[in-house]
Amino acid sequence: MPVSPQDRFIETLGLISQTEGSPRISGQILGCLVLANEPLSLTEIAERLDVSKASVSTNVRLLEIRGMARREAMRGSRQDHWAVVENPHQQVLATLADRFRRNADTVKSIAADFPEDDSGEGARVAGFAEFYLRSADFLDSWAQTLATTDQHEKETPPHVG
Amino acid sequence: MPVSPQDRFIETLGLISQTEGSPRISGQILGCLVLANEPLSLTEIAERLDVSKASVSTNVRLLEIRGMARREAMRGSRQDHWAVVENPHQQVLATLADRFRRNADTVKSIAADFPEDDSGEGARVAGFAEFYLRSADFLDSWAQTLATTDQHEKETPPHVG
DNA sequence: CGTATCGTTCAATATGTACTGAACGATATT
DNA sequence: AATATCGTTCAGTACATATTGAACGATACG
């Protein structure tokens, strides 16, 4: 039988998530939430994807840490519900920027430990740190661009000096 | 005994490589080449990192595919030698941009398969494709900036759109 | 030619981690 | 208070892949 567009979208996000070094299920959950466009319970997600509730529990919280999903309370239900945030990708870029900034710090401190007359080793290492630092800046400005040029223009975009 | 700055740099690049979803050794090799600043043979790299020549062979070619290292012939030696390219990160960004563009294509074709009256599912999927496409553009322009900008002068990020 | 020195490939192993099922604590319901 | 319904945690398993040692083909050297 033919696979529905929904299933293909979910599976594709799972594969992308996997190639980016994250659990496949986290991408699938994201796709699930995007399609639903309304808060889903843990059980609903688990049944939709045919995986254990334990996996959904851990991975949905991973999405929360990355800023792509948020927990919501639904009146009349004891269950937690989960939904995608308004601009999920923007949050991811910010997280990535943080990681790059940590890389920059780490490498920079290493570069400082090289002696002066090292035939340029320390300078080249410092160049790496420089790259990571500038990358972090780029990612932030990129996220900013996403925020201000959102195609739906639902509200006035936040301006950060 | 205290670990040398060189070893810490190599190990750090290995860890970064690992968290980005690539083999640890590929990052270590990169660090090795950056420190040496001169073409190294397969054997030299393997001995420096204390790993098998097989691993170095496969992973140094991975670096080549990603555009970060290049093979060099040294006169007077039958061995292949390897060196980092001038601007390694620039190439990586271009590779990443390609991947995002493929993501965009895949998701876009899926979005096209949704019916019109799907309560916005297709539109939201298309939004994902849009993000990947714009991301690819941004990565390209970013790489361009790295290419034309000197290591030490800083430039304002480009605006995509 | 025969030999030695390369780099690559391939099957096998080691290793990390994603994922699951079951147990647990916490909260709501009766 | 007793029971039921949640979500999370944790030990164990399954799985993917990074890494290795050995075998191989190719090329240079004697």
Side-chain angles (χ1 to χ4, degrees), chain A residues 19-31:
Chain A
T19 62
E20 285 174 356
S22 296
R24 168 188 290 205
I25 287 189
S26 67
Q28 293 176 326
I29 293 174
L30 178 63

Side-chain angles (χ1 to χ4, degrees), chain A residues 8 34-35 113 121 124, chain B residues 6 8 34-35 113 124:
Chain A
R8 286 199 291 145
V34 168
L35 288 178
D113 289 346
E121 275 186 334
R124 290 193 297 279
Chain B
Q6 286 85 355
R8 286 198 292 144
V34 167
L35 289 176
D113 289 346
R124 290 193 297 277

Side-chain angles (χ1 to χ4, degrees), chain B residues 87-153:
Chain B
N87 204 337
H89 296 117
Q90 174 188 344
Q91 300 296 333
V92 171
L93 295 179
T95 303
L96 200 59
D98 286 343
R99 202 161 78 193
F100 272 50
R101 231 176 282 278
R102 277 199 303 275
N103 289 348
D105 290 343
T106 303
V107 176
K108 192 176 181 63
S109 76
I110 295 176
D113 289 346
F114 281 82
E116 291 296 333
D117 56 344
D118 61 355
S119 70
E121 277 187 334
R124 290 193 297 277
V125 172
F128 257 72
E130 174 85 11
F131 164 76
Y132 283 121
L133 187 58
R134 291 211 285 163
S135 299
D137 291 341
F138 198 93
L139 286 170
D140 280 335
S141 65
W142 177 5
Q144 201 64 28
T145 305
L146 282 184
T148 57
T149 305
D150 185 62
Q151 197 77 282
H152 297 295
E153 54 178 319

Side-chain angles (χ1 to χ4, degrees), chain A residues 32-88:
Chain A
C32 208
L33 297 180
V34 168
L35 288 178
N37 202 30
E38 65 177 3
L40 296 180
S41 75
L42 206 79
T43 307
E44 285 172 330
I45 299 172
E47 289 178 351
R48 172 71 172 89
L49 300 177
D50 197 35
V51 295
S52 71
K53 296 207 302 182
S55 284
V56 176
S57 176
T58 58
N59 282 285
V60 82
R61 274 175 293 158
L62 176 63
L63 289 178
E64 185 180 38
I65 290 176
R66 304 215 174 147
M68 305 190 81
R70 68 164 183 277
R71 202 186 299 242
E72 266 189 28
M74 297 279 283
R75 59 166 297 174
S77 174
R78 286 174 50 191
Q79 299 184 146
D80 289 347
H81 282 66
W82 295 86
V84 286
V85 300
E86 293 72 29
N87 204 337

